[in-house]
Amino acid sequence: MLEQGLKEVLKEYGLEMEQLCGLASIDLKKEETGLLQLSEKYKIPFVTYNADELMKIRSVSDSSDFVKKVTGVDNVCERAVRTYVPDGKLIFPKCRKEKMTVAIITHNGAIAPMADKVIHFKNGTAEKIEINDNPISIDEIEW
């Protein structure tokens, strides 16, 4: 059920499971079988954060008093992905699907030109490595 729901959300954005670089949630879910199985099947990390860490994220698109009462956090999915990829761009805010919520974030590709090496991952494995002989200054990055 979890895998199918996530696949449906990804499909709406033209994405596939193999493009995920990680799964993130609250530490209350660290032993959740479905998330652990997805992590293992697709060879992607599954990371969790405690409520205090998640609350460091200042803004979210939606809040839930019920979720906050149960977890100590008003929006787990957005806060977790923003903690996992702090400089990323939220491309899919909190979405309720069946018995789960999903948020999707992408790494900030704008910073790639300032790196001397960019490593592209797929299925938890380095797929391509680009060497940049002329990295640009952070001052030249357009945000």
Side-chain angles (χ1 to χ4, degrees):
M1 177 185 276
L2 179 65
E3 181 177 10
Q4 186 56 40
L6 184 53
K7 282 182 176 182
E8 289 173 17
V9 171
L10 292 170
K11 187 176 180 180
E12 290 177 36
Y13 283 82
L15 301 171
E16 297 177 6
M17 293 292 288
E18 292 77 15
Q19 293 174 286
L20 294 180
C21 69
L23 301 169
S25 191
I26 194 164
D27 57 2
L28 299 172
K29 301 267 186 179
K30 68 183 174 193
E31 301 296 329
E32 189 167 299
T33 304
L35 289 166
L36 293 170
Q37 288 174 341
L38 276 177
S39 173
E40 186 175 322
K41 180 176 180 177
Y42 291 96
K43 297 177 178 34
I44 53 178
F46 171 47
V47 297
T48 60
Y49 303 96
N50 66 44
D52 290 338
E53 289 175 288
L54 295 177
M55 287 304 291
K56 291 177 184 175
I57 301 300
R58 295 178 191 245
S59 66
V60 291
S61 68
D62 185 42
S63 296
S64 166
D65 291 333
F66 174 76
V67 171
K68 186 165 187 167
K69 184 178 178 182
V70 172
T71 67
V73 178
D74 60 347
N75 180 323
V76 172
C77 62
E78 281 185 32
R79 290 179 186 280
V81 296
R82 287 181 171 188
T83 302
Y84 188 62
V85 185
D87 296 323
K89 179 181 178 191
L90 190 67
I91 58 171
F92 194 87
K94 180 179 175 180
C95 165
R96 289 175 190 86
K97 198 79 152 170
E98 312 247 342
K99 294 183 178 182
M100 66 177 197
T101 57
V102 176
I104 300 173
I105 198 164
T106 184
H107 290 278
N108 190 340
I111 65 172
M114 66 183 248
D116 60 347
K117 184 186 296 184
V118 178
I119 305 171
H120 300 267
F121 285 89
K122 187 171 183 177
N123 292 334
T125 304
E127 184 177 71
K128 179 171 83 171
I129 299 175
E130 295 175 8
I131 304 299
N132 183 0
D133 293 326
N134 300 301
I136 65 173
S137 162
I138 192 166
D139 298 328
E140 299 176 67
I141 300 290
E142 288 189 36
W143 301 93

